[in-house]
Amino acid sequence: MAPANGGGDLSVEPAFVGAGCNRIVNNVSWGPSGLVAFGAQNAVAIFCPQSAQILTTLPGHKAVVNCTQWVLTNKDVHKVGQKELHYLLSGSADGVIMAWEICPSQRIWRSALQFPGMHKKGVTCLTSVMISATVAICASTSSDGIVHIWKITFPSTDNGNCQISCLDSLSVGSKPMVALSLTMVPGENCGLLLAMGGLDQKIHVYYGDLIGKFSRVCELKDHSDWIRSLDFSQPVMLGEGKHNLFLVSSSQDKTIRIWKLASSPASELKKDDIGLTAYIEGPVFVVGSTRYQVSLESLLIGHEDWVYSVEWQPPILFGSNLNQPMSILSASMDKTMMIWRPERNTGIWMNVVTVGELSHSALGFYGGHWAPDGKSILAHGYGGSFHLWRDVGFGSENWQPQRVPLGHFASVFDLAWSQSGDYLLTVSHDQTTRIFAPWKNVKASDNRAMWHEIARPQVHGHDINCVCIIQGSGNHRFVSGADEKVARVFEAPLSFLKTLNYAWAREQGNFDTLDKEVQILGANMSALGLSQKPIYLNSARESPTGTTNDAMDSLETIPDAVPTVFTEPPVEDQLAWHTLWPESHKLYGHGNELFSLCCNHAGTLVASSCKAQSANVAEIWLWEVGSWKSVGRLQSHTLTVTQIEFSHDDTLLLTVSRDRQLSVFSLTKTSDGVDHKLIAKHEAHKRIIWACSWNPVKHEFATGSRDKTVKIWSVNKDSSSVNLLSTLPQFRDSVTALAWRACNQSRNTGLLAVGMDNGFIEIWGIASGNLEASAFSATCAIRLDPFLCHVSTIYRLRWKEVNDSESGVLKLASCGADHSVRVFDVHGK
């Protein structure tokens, strides 16, 4: 819900949410409220196109969200006017449909109701039409081969509840429907037409009244592959009681078909003539007192791959007259969206606008949507990304890319703050490393700088599991570990350093200094997508700086990246290719896939671990920063070491493992490298230990486990043993992430953030006095509101070490299995 939640001495507000869109057709819906809804793993996310920020994520679904649908659509807003409350439907892979109540002006959202559990498999499409200001008819289809028609009655008062009833259930057999569209039939005895299409390659049209059963009235059979999208236009009134309805359909046969349903009084045609007319001109059916003649209006051929979505431009209200623009938006896996309109003189439908991704890394669009005003179009793609274009032309169309929220489209396993706190680095199983930062010159309504993805340093060929930023002086560097046996070291190129200066609105006078210190401008991807080769400053100056798209990329060649200094937040096409960091070193040694990385505070050592099922493989390797030689192999555990942390003074190294053990090593720097000694080993928990975190100013640490407990430990002054100080009260779920931050060094007080398997976050106040158990105290300062939290496992929590000087606000970053990265502003203490 709205910001700040909980009690105690703290309050928490969301500063940033980054998440990618589920890669599923029908996953996105843009409603008359101006907000866009989409599925992000098990959550429903809401974003504002004007600010390019995700406003919230709605928790409730237990499986992946497949589809979303605003109940009040852009077509129906003229019937009921703009409303204060909007309702949103979402369907998930376990057959659950939920309704949400959204108040855009006050930024309030809540779960309104859950539909009766009638679908036995995943919901694949939702459609709705408003009958009146308080009644809507909706239809849902599922992989179980059933289409349900629902009636939703909305409350007429603020405190009322929604009512839901199932009007009809249509069984479509073993070949499910995956596309639906509903529309009202004009006239005195108005009913509903429902079009559905799917795996049987046919379009089935049903008619039903507002309270009763639906019956099939015709079939349309021209497509030669699965039908993926259907959309009815608003009725086009012709006078004398006649009107035309248009239905547009798209298919995996790469074509789009426009069907015209021409009305006339049923009395004009005898029943005996229907068969002959249908044979010659197309299907004929009668509903009430109206006869409809169906004919193929146009066949649109232009896409080169499956066409996943088609949508009519929203109607425009001129005075009291509603005008349906003859304009269709289509989105395809051929990486393009097209706008189709009939040519003014001949009436032949033509492709008048084409936009899309031209980079070789793009893999097509799953859907396209109009803005309520018809001035913008939005696509969501295979890479979980959004693409927004707006017509900014005067007199002629000029569609230009706009900013959108971006994020990972798979589980985010690790994150790290930069040494100065300027940005947040994240890694994910979507095989990318991303950098998020506030862009100071792009302000929200409350004058806060808005966060954006500003670089994508690594685009890899393996799932990335862990990352650490090299601390200390010098250029920005990080080490990442993926589902391979090699850790890779990256260094920031000149283009990123300059972009970061623009993001923070810093003085640009030091650019000449940067040019002398950093000679690498950017990086190119290798053909196999594993290594990233540097582009040097001198060679870049000799090559052309412009990008060309004269020909499609072939399989044999990969185009050169063009490292770019961005003066405003970049968009997806720019991020995907032109913001790579060069790889400087590879660290060989581990026998299995990398799992955990950590750098000490001095920036001299990096520790790493890999997935393991034996003591030999479970070694922790120490690497010397700079020479990148192995300077130690620490043995203690028998299974995967899940997290590694250095103490604040870098003299101790803490490791926790799947073997339920914690180990503490002492580290001493020598002329030959590093001496290490195991000083403590404990079976600390009854289940896997997932997380650990040091007190930033003392030799105390916390461990968190699948046994739902957090334990606080202290290392003796002579660093010879470890004592248990306290066990916090049992949590509601497995503890998977911990982050300890100091508040008052003299009194040894701090904050411990606890992340859980269910996505919830709690922040505890810790006071450990003089390291005696009797002086230790811990209280829960705040439990974050579920609308602020993740909806699946939290993998990492990190406090920003540098305070925001102007406000004293603490920043806490989190990432998890729900594909999201979040930054919280923590106020108080």
Side-chain angles (χ1 to χ4, degrees):
M1 295 176 66
N5 318 276
D9 301 317
L10 299 181
S11 64
V12 176
E13 293 180 350
F16 170 69
V17 181
C21 180
N22 290 342
R23 300 186 293 173
I24 305 170
V25 183
N26 302 321
N27 190 244
V28 176
S29 182
W30 196 345
S33 64
L35 301 180
V36 176
F38 66 96
Q41 208 242 8
N42 297 355
V44 179
I46 308 292
F47 90 77
C48 174
Q50 282 73 36
S51 64
Q53 299 289 296
I54 295 176
L55 304 180
T56 189
T57 54
L58 308 177
H61 285 288
K62 305 300 181 187
V64 172
V65 175
N66 284 344
C67 48
T68 60
Q69 175 69 37
W70 292 98
V71 178
L72 176 60
T73 66
N74 295 324
K75 298 175 187 175
D76 292 336
V77 68
H78 66 280
K79 298 179 186 176
V80 297
Q82 280 288 0
K83 297 173 70 69
E84 181 71 13
L85 290 179
H86 291 258
Y87 290 88
L88 173 70
L89 304 180
S90 58
S92 59
D94 57 0
V96 172
I97 302 173
M98 299 187 72
W100 309 88
E101 185 179 275
I102 313 286
C103 181
S105 60
Q106 299 181 35
R107 300 288 171 88
I108 296 175
W109 21 75
R110 71 177 184 91
S111 174
L113 63 87
Q114 181 172 320
F115 284 35
M118 299 180 69
H119 283 300
K120 305 305 179 189
K121 293 185 179 179
V123 180
T124 54
C125 187
L126 296 164
T127 184
S128 66
V129 62
M130 294 294 295
I131 303 304
S132 68
T134 58
V135 177
I137 303 294
C138 305
S140 61
T141 184
S142 163
S143 303
D144 60 11
I146 305 294
V147 176
H148 294 301
I149 294 95
W150 310 86
K151 179 181 179 181
I152 307 178
T153 305
F154 301 109
S156 53
T157 61
D158 292 341
N159 299 323
N161 295 317
C162 295
Q163 304 294 324
I164 183 75
S165 60
C166 183
L167 295 181
D168 202 357
S169 297
L170 308 173
S171 177
V172 297
S174 60
K175 295 185 176 180
M177 300 292 107
V178 295
L180 300 173
S181 185
L182 264 173
T183 189
M184 284 189 68
V185 178
E188 296 178 1
N189 302 316
C190 61
L192 295 169
L193 286 178
L194 170 65
M196 61 179 75
L199 278 60
D200 65 357
Q201 306 174 15
K202 303 174 185 175
I203 300 171
H204 306 267
V205 182
Y206 285 73
Y207 173 77
D209 55 33
L210 303 184
I211 57 173
K213 302 293 182 182
F214 279 68
S215 57
R216 185 162 56 190
V217 292
C218 78
E219 285 183 358
L220 308 174
K221 301 180 181 180
D222 276 13
H223 283 291
S224 60
D225 206 334
W226 292 8
I227 291 162
R228 298 310 304 237
S229 183
L230 295 165
D231 192 31
F232 275 114
S233 70
Q234 283 292 293
V236 178
M237 308 309 293
L238 303 176
E240 299 181 1
K242 295 184 178 181
H243 62 270
N244 289 337
L245 281 172
F246 291 93
L247 173 67
V248 62
S249 61
S250 70
S251 166
Q252 291 181 184
D253 63 11
K254 308 177 187 177
T255 67
I256 301 165
R257 283 172 163 79
I258 303 172
W259 309 87
K260 182 167 76 172
L261 286 68
S263 75
S264 60
S267 57
E268 292 186 6
L269 186 71
K270 299 177 182 178
K271 282 192 175 182
D272 296 341
D273 295 337
I274 291 180
L276 182 60
T277 306
Y279 180 78
I280 297 172
E281 300 180 9
V284 176
F285 61 89
V286 177
V287 293
S289 59
T290 305
R291 158 190 170 261
Y292 283 98
Q293 168 78 56
V294 184
S295 60
L296 181 63
E297 172 77 3
S298 187
L299 170 64
L300 310 184
I301 299 175
H303 286 294
E304 298 175 356
D305 209 333
W306 297 354
V307 185
Y308 267 141
S309 83
V310 282
E311 188 175 289
W312 288 97
Q313 184 177 336
I316 301 170
L317 195 62
F318 289 110
S320 59
N321 298 320
L322 192 69
N323 178 41
Q324 171 64 65
M326 288 290 103
S327 183
I328 293 170
L329 176 68
S330 63
S332 167
M333 285 300 282
D334 67 3
K335 311 179 189 179
T336 64
M337 280 204 304
M338 296 182 179
I339 297 176
W340 305 81
R341 298 193 186 106
E343 206 271 329
R344 182 170 297 178
N345 297 323
T346 64
I348 297 173
W349 284 78
M350 305 288 289
N351 165 28
V352 294
V353 175
T354 300
V355 295
E357 288 186 287
L358 292 175
S359 74
H360 80 283
S361 56
L363 289 170
F365 294 141
Y366 278 113
H369 303 273
W370 290 97
D373 63 0
K375 297 292 186 182
S376 300
I377 52 177
L378 177 75
H380 64 104
Y382 183 86
S385 56
F386 286 105
H387 304 260
L388 178 66
W389 289 269
R390 184 159 184 85
D391 181 12
V392 296
F394 295 95
S396 62
E397 290 182 274
N398 180 16
W399 295 85
Q400 293 296 319
Q402 307 294 309
R403 288 194 299 270
V404 287
L406 296 168
H408 293 284
F409 59 89
S411 298
V412 188
F413 270 80
D414 205 355
L415 54 77
W417 288 98
S418 69
Q419 52 196 5
S420 57
D422 286 351
Y423 60 83
L424 189 64
L425 180 73
T426 62
V427 297
S428 165
H429 277 195
D430 67 7
Q431 305 185 347
T432 66
T433 300
R434 304 182 188 225
I435 289 178
F436 299 93
W439 201 281
K440 291 295 185 181
N441 290 332
V442 181
K443 301 286 187 179
S445 55
D446 57 2
N447 210 36
R448 288 190 302 177
M450 291 192 290
W451 285 67
H452 295 275
E453 183 180 348
I454 66 167
R456 204 164 295 174
Q458 185 183 10
V459 178
H460 203 37
H462 296 289
D463 295 354
I464 307 176
N465 299 321
C466 50
V467 71
C468 69
I469 286 182
I470 307 301
Q471 303 299 318
S473 59
N475 193 10
H476 301 263
R477 291 176 293 175
F478 72 86
V479 185
S480 69
D483 276 350
E484 55 178 346
K485 302 174 184 179
V486 184
R488 298 173 184 270
V489 185
F490 297 85
E491 185 167 345
L494 183 63
S495 57
F496 171 77
L497 299 176
K498 292 183 176 180
T499 296
L500 189 63
N501 276 348
Y502 279 112
W504 281 87
R506 296 186 178 122
E507 292 294 328
Q508 306 303 325
N510 61 351
F511 273 10
D512 291 339
T513 306
L514 286 176
D515 286 345
K516 294 175 183 177
E517 293 177 354
V518 182
Q519 291 297 308
I520 298 175
L521 185 61
N524 268 322
M525 178 65 72
S526 70
L528 293 178
L530 294 176
S531 297
Q532 294 170 193
K533 306 300 183 185
I535 300 173
Y536 290 96
L537 197 56
N538 293 333
S539 62
R541 285 170 179 160
E542 294 166 6
S543 62
T545 56
T547 57
T548 59
N549 296 306
D550 296 334
M552 298 298 289
D553 304 330
S554 70
L555 293 175
E556 292 79 16
T557 61
I558 290 183
D560 286 341
V562 183
T564 307
V565 178
F566 296 104
T567 57
E568 58 183 26
V571 296
E572 174 69 20
D573 289 359
Q574 298 164 326
L575 286 165
W577 197 239
H578 303 308
T579 61
L580 295 173
W581 288 21
E583 181 183 311
S584 60
H585 293 86
K586 295 182 179 69
L587 309 182
Y588 296 96
H590 284 290
N592 284 332
E593 298 91 339
L594 272 291
F595 195 83
S596 182
L597 285 164
C598 186
C599 180
N600 68 354
H601 297 82
T604 58
L605 284 178
V606 168
S608 62
S609 71
C610 69
K611 296 178 182 178
Q613 293 185 332
S614 66
N616 287 338
V617 182
E619 291 177 326
I620 297 102
W621 287 57
L622 297 179
W623 310 87
E624 184 180 59
V625 173
S627 69
W628 296 109
K629 295 185 301 187
S630 171
V631 292
R633 294 166 67 174
L634 286 57
Q635 288 191 342
S636 176
H637 298 284
T638 57
L639 295 173
T640 304
V641 173
T642 54
Q643 192 169 357
I644 310 168
E645 290 287 327
F646 287 91
S647 63
H648 69 282
D649 56 5
D650 293 337
T651 60
L652 300 174
L653 180 68
L654 169 65
T655 62
V656 293
S657 167
R658 295 178 70 99
D659 63 11
R660 309 175 187 178
Q661 307 274 346
L662 71 82
S663 299
V664 179
F665 299 86
S666 66
L667 302 177
T668 306
K669 187 171 179 59
T670 66
S671 57
D672 297 330
V674 177
D675 280 348
H676 52 83
K677 178 185 176 183
L678 178 64
I679 64 171
K681 182 178 180 180
H682 284 278
E683 184 167 345
H685 291 268
K686 297 177 182 177
R687 304 289 298 278
I688 293 171
I689 307 175
W690 283 122
C692 62
S693 183
W694 283 99
N695 181 335
V697 295
K698 300 286 185 180
H699 283 169
E700 302 168 1
F701 61 88
T703 57
S705 165
R706 185 179 281 176
D707 64 11
K708 303 181 183 179
T709 63
V710 171
K711 295 183 179 182
I712 311 295
W713 310 78
S714 68
V715 181
N716 286 353
K717 291 182 179 179
D718 58 0
S719 295
S720 60
S721 63
V722 170
N723 298 323
L724 177 64
L725 281 180
S726 179
T727 301
L728 301 190
Q730 192 168 51
F731 289 84
R732 291 173 282 180
D733 208 341
S734 303
V735 175
T736 54
L738 294 171
W740 195 329
R741 182 188 170 84
C743 289
N744 187 311
Q745 187 169 348
S746 61
R747 298 189 312 190
N748 196 18
T749 62
L751 296 175
L752 182 64
V754 181
M756 287 171 266
D757 201 31
N758 57 11
F760 289 175
I761 298 174
E762 296 183 9
I763 301 177
W764 286 66
I766 303 291
S768 49
N770 58 1
L771 298 185
E772 295 180 2
S774 59
F776 181 88
S777 66
T779 56
C780 182
I782 189 170
R783 290 186 174 93
L784 271 65
D785 189 295
F787 283 82
L788 295 183
C789 293
H790 295 262
V791 298
S792 298
T793 307
I794 295 174
Y795 288 125
R796 195 71 77 223
L797 292 167
R798 298 280 189 201
W799 291 100
K800 180 179 174 181
E801 294 300 325
V802 184
N803 284 351
D804 286 359
S805 56
E806 69 274 11
S807 62
V809 175
L810 305 179
K811 289 197 181 295
L812 175 66
S814 66
C815 63
D818 62 356
H819 309 176
S820 72
V821 176
R822 298 166 191 258
V823 179
F824 304 98
D825 286 341
V826 181
H827 303 265
K829 280 200 176 179

